[in-house]
Each structure stands twice: as C-alpha cells, then as structure tokens.
Amino acid sequence: GAGVSQTPSNKVTEKGKYVELRCDPISGHTALYWYRQSLGQGPEFLIYFQGTGAADDSGLPNDRFFAVRPEGSVSTLKIQRTERGDSAVYLCASSLSGSQDEQFFGPGTRLTVL
Amino acid sequence: RKEVEQDPGPFNVPEGATVAFNCTYSNSASQSFFWYRQDCRKEPKLLMSVYSSGNEDGRFTAQLNRASQYISLLIRDSKLSDSATYLCVVTLYNAGNMLTFGGGTRLMVKP
C-alpha cells in the first residue's frame, strides 16, 4: 500500500514569507506526527495529532508555527514570517493508533529560507 | 544536556567487521527504546526495538541497560549496505508515543 507522502519535496522561500507543508498519512492511521531535522542532527518532535485534534504541540518552537488536520487525515504545517533558522527537513510520520504502534515516516520536505 | 546522546562518528570499518554503537538517555521515565536507520537524504526507518532481555535480528543485536540508562547496537559481519546513520530513539511513558531521537551515529563500511 501507499506510504506517507509529503509535498512539496523541496521548498525554497525568502525570509519573511509564509509557507505550507503538506502530509498525507497512511490510510486509516489516526495518529500523525511532525518532526524537524536540521543538518547533522536527529529529528526533533514538533506536534502530534490524534484524529483531528492536536494532542501535544509542545515541540512547536514559537507561535510562527501552526499545524492543522481538519478531517483527521491530511495535515498541513504552516510557518509564518519564515526565518533562515527555519531551514531544515520537515518530516511527517503516521501510526495506526498512536500508542505503541510503529511510526512510518514520509520522505520529508526540505525547506530552505534564503 | 541532550536527552539522548550518541557518538556522531563516523565509524569507518571494513566489510566483515563487527561494530558496536552506544547511546545514553537522561530521562529515567523513558519507556520504549528503538534503533532507527537513516540513509543519506532519506527518511528514518525502524531497524529494531530494544528490550532489557536483548533483541537479535540476524546480524543485528540490541541491548538495553535500564540501570545505566544505556542502549547498544551490535552489527556483525558488516556489509557495504549497512552504511547509514543509526539513530537511537526513546519514548516517554504517557507522552503520546512521540519519539526522542539522538543525533545519530554515522557508519561507513568500506570494501
């Protein structure tokens, strides 16, 4: 079956612009996670959805970052007033129910802020 | 101090060698433990779970020492295809299963 997909695969933007990153989880997976991976580091947790609701957004770095999952499937990560420090690979993962189920990662969106 | 610490490497080993990676975690409430593999410019993929009793999967053996808060991965008979970054991962009890990653250890297996 289809895995987690993310679009776009690459996004180049200018400082101060607004960007949206999309994640399509595996069909039927109720749990969805966003992580951010900077060069040479491991992924860092941003936000976790269970169904439509954000169950844990403690990893969002500041209020420029926001994510939604209105129908409990596709999720969009939104970044306002982008800064050069936002440049990273943004990874999305989904799991069947979110408890101890394996998380399957998408290929990521590489964001570059000039 | 990072929650999960790993030696970044790189570990350069010849084919057929045995190599071991270590990882320490700081939160004693950590509940589940994993090793993930990440190829260059690819997403992380689960390699194996880690249990106190040890876990073996072919050439790979993982071990957990809860008292020392220490996790290990042993790779026997290294193959060229084992070249990758190995990420040590923990989850906290009742934390929605969010994964906390170490910085990764890079392995390069040479012919």
Side-chain angles (χ1 to χ4, degrees):
Chain A
V4 178
S5 63
Q6 292 185 245
T7 54
S9 55
N10 283 282
K11 176 70 177 178
V12 180
T13 191
E14 292 178 345
K15 181 176 178 293
K17 299 290 188 183
Y18 168 82
V19 297
E20 290 190 351
L21 313 179
R22 176 187 167 111
C23 172
D24 276 271
I26 293 172
S27 178
H29 280 195
T30 62
L32 185 146
Y33 305 80
W34 284 98
Y35 296 85
R36 178 169 73 171
Q37 186 170 24
S38 300
L39 191 64
Q41 298 181 25
E44 293 179 318
F45 169 75
L46 295 176
I47 186 169
Y48 157 54
F49 286 90
Q50 184 56 254
T52 61
D56 184 345
D57 64 358
S58 61
L60 295 178
N62 51 59
D63 61 5
R64 295 186 298 105
F65 288 75
F66 189 70
V68 295
R69 196 186 184 197
E71 297 178 357
S73 179
V74 169
S75 176
T76 305
L77 178 66
K78 309 179 182 197
I79 311 174
Q80 298 177 321
R81 304 183 304 281
T82 52
E83 299 178 358
R84 292 194 180 88
D86 299 335
S87 297
V89 176
Y90 289 81
L91 294 161
C92 176
S94 71
S95 70
L96 191 59
S97 69
S99 56
Q100 296 296 313
D101 300 315
E102 180 181 350
Q103 293 183 31
F104 296 88
F105 283 81
T109 293
R110 183 172 300 273
L111 176 66
T112 302
V113 182
L114 301 175
Chain B
R1 182 187 172 190
K2 288 186 180 178
E3 290 189 54
V4 181
E5 297 212 50
Q6 296 180 248
D7 180 344
F11 284 59
N12 294 295
V13 303
E15 266 186 298
T18 295
V19 61
F21 305 138
N22 304 317
C23 161
T24 57
Y25 61 95
S26 60
N27 194 326
S28 60
S30 297
Q31 181 184 32
S32 300
F33 309 87
F34 309 93
W35 283 101
Y36 273 69
R37 171 190 168 129
Q38 186 171 29
D39 293 297
C40 189
R41 299 179 80 89
K42 299 288 188 181
E43 70 273 20
K45 292 184 179 178
L46 178 64
L47 179 65
M48 60 198 304
S49 301
V50 189
Y51 308 112
S52 297
S53 55
N55 188 23
E56 186 171 320
D57 183 2
R59 298 181 293 107
F60 297 82
T61 300
Q63 197 78 42
L64 166 66
N65 184 320
R66 281 189 183 271
S68 302
Q69 296 182 195
Y70 173 96
I71 304 162
S72 65
L73 177 67
L74 183 77
I75 305 175
R76 291 180 296 277
D77 188 24
S78 299
K79 310 291 185 191
L80 295 177
S81 58
D82 293 334
S83 298
T85 295
Y86 291 84
L87 297 159
C88 179
V89 184
V90 307
T91 67
L92 292 175
Y93 182 71
N94 277 345
N97 203 34
M98 71 177 201
L99 303 177
T100 300
F101 287 82
T105 297
R106 189 170 173 207
L107 171 66
M108 299 181 68
V109 181
K110 308 273 187 178

